[in-house]
């Protein structure tokens, strides 16, 4: 990983590594993941490789992930260096109706519990983990702002919400003077590109950096799973949780295996692993501030950290784009060059050249918008 390159998170001044360390694999409570010694080695290697952005959630491995992270940071006195992100929403007490969801009561109890487990006084990025479909966005944004003003949280973000909800949240922040949304944590990979229609333009226009989760499609794009006459074969998370009902793990489709096959071909041409090429593709998409990488073994992380050490040729990027693309759905099927010509006549040309407004990025030697 490039030790000297960081991006600012959205329109904030928070500088984060282009690869973030995901720690949903820290702990074995869910039947898969890393034991404590391995998790500690993965954390150390990530930090020693120049990484500073670590992502967790309150209920990852039933709280074990947060607890171990707190210990790892304390042992190496790294709290000030680490940009620590955690999330709330899911319930750990099924019999308590207010022990989950997006409401103020749960938000405040969740942040206090995370602070205790993480053994810290503040959280750098506190995120809503998933929309509950009930709580008014006004309540969420006011509570986020209260937590920032209280010093318990530095920045706020949203994960797994509708685009209209994220847009409404940012509008409320702007007009009421609340802490704005700095990050949108969303699934993004060669096999899951749905966010390109609305979320990416939304984030670029309104200052929300995209944090891509599951960039390897839960391991499918690493090449560990193969098709066979009897069905998919390979050991890993997708096999372990295949019947969970979670759509994030429903990856064994003919389309996805076809994309993986093209990825394997491209990876062979550039002499890189499938995982490195898949991560490189996501990291260099518009609006992406950071890509979350997770590992259960140190060798997996070592491979992932090499994902930004090369440039993918344009022609190979185009091959991956074609293999993974899908027809535009309504209303985006209307927004074509032909339709623009019908709207603007002979003046239907691009609005501005690409260099008119450079992307936000910073490194150790230069800064710019």
């Amino acid at each position: 990983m490039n030790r000297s390159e960081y991006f600012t998170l959205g329109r904030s001044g928070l500088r984060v590594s282009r690869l973030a360390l995901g720690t949903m694999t820290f702990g074995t409570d869910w039947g898969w993941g890393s034991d404590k010694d391995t998790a500690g080695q993965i954390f150390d290697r990530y930090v020693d490789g120049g990484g500073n952005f670590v992502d967790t959630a309150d209920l990852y491995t039933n709280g074990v992930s947060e607890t171990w992270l707190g210990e790892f940071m304390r042992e190496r006195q790294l709290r000030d260096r680490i940009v620590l992100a955690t999330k709330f929403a899911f319930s750990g007490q099924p019999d308590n109706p207010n022990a989950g969801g997006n409401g103020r009561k749960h938000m405040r109890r969740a942040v206090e519990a995370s602070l205790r487990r993480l053994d810290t006084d503040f959280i750098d990025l506190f995120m809503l983990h998933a929309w509950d479909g009930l709580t008014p966005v006004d309540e969420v944004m006011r509570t986020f702002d209260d937590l920032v003003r209280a010093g318990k949280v530095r920045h706020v973000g949203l994960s797994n919400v509708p685009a209209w909800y994220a847009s409404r949240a940012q509008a409320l922040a702007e007009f009421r003077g609340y802490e704005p949304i700095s990050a949108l944590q969303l699934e993004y990979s060669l096999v899951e590109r749905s966010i390109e229609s609305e979320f990416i333009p939304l984030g670029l226009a309104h200052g929300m950096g995209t944090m891509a989760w599951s960039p390897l499609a839960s391991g499918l794009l690493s090449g560990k799973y193969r098709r066979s006459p009897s069905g998919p074969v390979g050991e890993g998370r997708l096999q372990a949780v295949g019947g969970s009902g979670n759509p994030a793990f429903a990856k064994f489709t003919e389309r996805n295996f076809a994309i993986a096959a093209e990825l394997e071909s491209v990876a062979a041409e550039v002499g890189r692993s499938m995982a490195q090429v898949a991560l490189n593709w996501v990291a260099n998409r518009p609006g992406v501030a950071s890509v979350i990488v997770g590992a259960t073994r140190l060798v997996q992380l070592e491979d992932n950290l090499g994902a930004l050490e090369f440039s993918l040729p344009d022609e190979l990027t185009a091959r991956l784009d074609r293999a993974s693309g899908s027809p535009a759905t309504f209303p985006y099927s209307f927004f074509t060059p032909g339709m623009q010509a019908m709207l603007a006549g002979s003046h239907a040309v691009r609005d501005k050249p690409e260099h008119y407004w450079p992307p936000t990025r910073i490194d150790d030697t230069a800064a710019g918008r």
Side-chain angles (χ1 to χ4, degrees):
M1 184 167 62
N2 188 332
R3 295 169 182 260
S4 65
E5 188 171 49
Y6 303 86
F7 280 7
T8 50
L9 187 61
R11 200 173 286 157
S12 77
L14 189 63
R15 306 177 182 192
V16 299
S17 306
R18 293 184 64 195
L19 296 181
L21 179 64
T23 64
M24 188 168 68
T25 58
F26 282 17
T28 58
D29 287 32
W30 290 351
W32 48 270
S34 305
D35 60 29
K36 192 172 185 179
D37 287 343
T38 303
Q41 293 171 16
I42 289 171
F43 175 83
D44 288 342
R45 178 64 185 91
Y46 172 76
V47 174
D48 292 341
N52 77 337
F53 197 15
V54 181
D55 177 79
T56 186
D58 55 358
L59 291 188
Y60 280 174
T61 54
N62 300 320
V64 170
S65 175
E66 285 190 333
T67 301
W68 287 2
L69 276 176
E71 294 178 18
F72 298 157
M73 289 187 295
R74 183 176 65 250
E75 289 167 359
R76 292 191 55 179
Q77 299 183 338
L78 289 173
R79 181 63 192 94
D80 189 54
R81 173 187 172 89
I82 297 297
V83 176
L84 182 60
T86 193
K87 302 179 284 291
F88 80 95
F90 292 101
S91 174
Q93 302 174 26
D95 60 341
N96 182 352
N98 287 303
N102 304 160
R104 179 178 289 111
K105 182 177 177 65
H106 177 56
M107 284 183 71
R108 298 195 70 102
R109 68 183 296 279
V111 75
E112 296 295 346
S114 287
L115 289 170
R116 288 193 298 271
R117 283 189 294 267
L118 291 163
D119 191 21
T120 185
D121 295 328
F122 66 96
I123 295 164
D124 293 293
L125 176 64
F126 191 50
M127 290 178 284
L128 183 153
H129 203 161
W131 183 46
D132 65 7
L134 295 171
T135 306
V137 67
D138 313 54
E139 182 175 337
V140 172
M141 293 306 295
R142 173 58 191 269
T143 309
F144 269 151
D145 191 64
D146 289 344
L147 293 174
V148 171
R149 292 173 186 268
K152 298 178 186 294
V153 170
R154 298 291 191 261
H155 300 272
V156 301
L158 300 172
S159 180
N160 308 315
V161 301
W164 66 261
Y165 183 97
S167 179
R168 174 67 174 166
Q170 197 72 319
L172 282 170
E174 292 171 355
F175 284 99
R176 293 185 179 175
Y178 295 160
E179 178 66 23
I181 300 297
S182 295
L184 295 172
Q185 188 175 121
L186 303 161
E187 184 176 6
Y188 195 22
S189 73
L190 280 165
V191 304
E192 180 49 76
R193 297 177 57 180
S194 301
I195 69 170
E196 292 176 352
S197 294
E198 291 198 348
F199 285 99
I200 295 298
L202 172 66
L204 287 170
H206 297 287
M208 296 174 276
T210 298
M211 295 172 63
W213 64 260
S214 199
L216 298 181
S218 296
L220 179 69
L221 298 177
S222 71
K224 68 169 62 175
Y225 301 101
R226 299 288 176 175
R227 282 178 287 194
S228 77
S230 59
V233 295
E235 295 184 1
R237 190 187 316 173
L238 288 178
Q239 293 286 34
V241 298
S244 67
N246 188 329
F249 300 127
K251 294 294 189 286
F252 292 147
T253 67
E254 285 301 311
R255 171 186 177 272
N256 290 352
F257 274 117
I259 293 170
E262 183 70 350
L263 171 64
E264 184 174 23
S265 175
V266 168
E269 290 197 33
V270 295
R272 292 284 177 168
S273 70
M274 290 174 64
Q276 287 179 340
V277 174
L279 291 171
N280 185 286
W281 182 89
V282 176
N284 287 290
R285 302 300 289 181
V288 174
S290 191
V291 179
I292 301 172
V293 297
T296 56
R297 295 179 291 122
L298 186 58
V299 66
Q300 293 172 323
L301 180 68
E302 291 281 5
D303 184 65
N304 290 347
L305 293 182
L308 302 181
E309 295 176 349
F310 64 98
S311 296
L312 199 61
D314 290 344
E315 62 272 19
L316 296 184
T317 299
R319 277 175 53 185
L320 293 176
D321 290 347
R322 288 193 297 270
S324 60
S326 298
T329 57
F330 181 83
Y332 304 98
S333 55
F334 255 56
F335 309 146
T336 62
M339 181 60 69
Q340 290 301 306
M342 292 174 65
L343 291 169
S346 61
H347 298 287
V349 296
R350 67 177 183 174
D351 182 35
K352 301 178 183 71
E354 292 180 358
H355 63 268
Y356 179 83
W357 191 259
T360 301
R361 89 181 256 163
I362 61 100
D363 56 36
D364 283 355
T365 59
R369 279 192 59 81

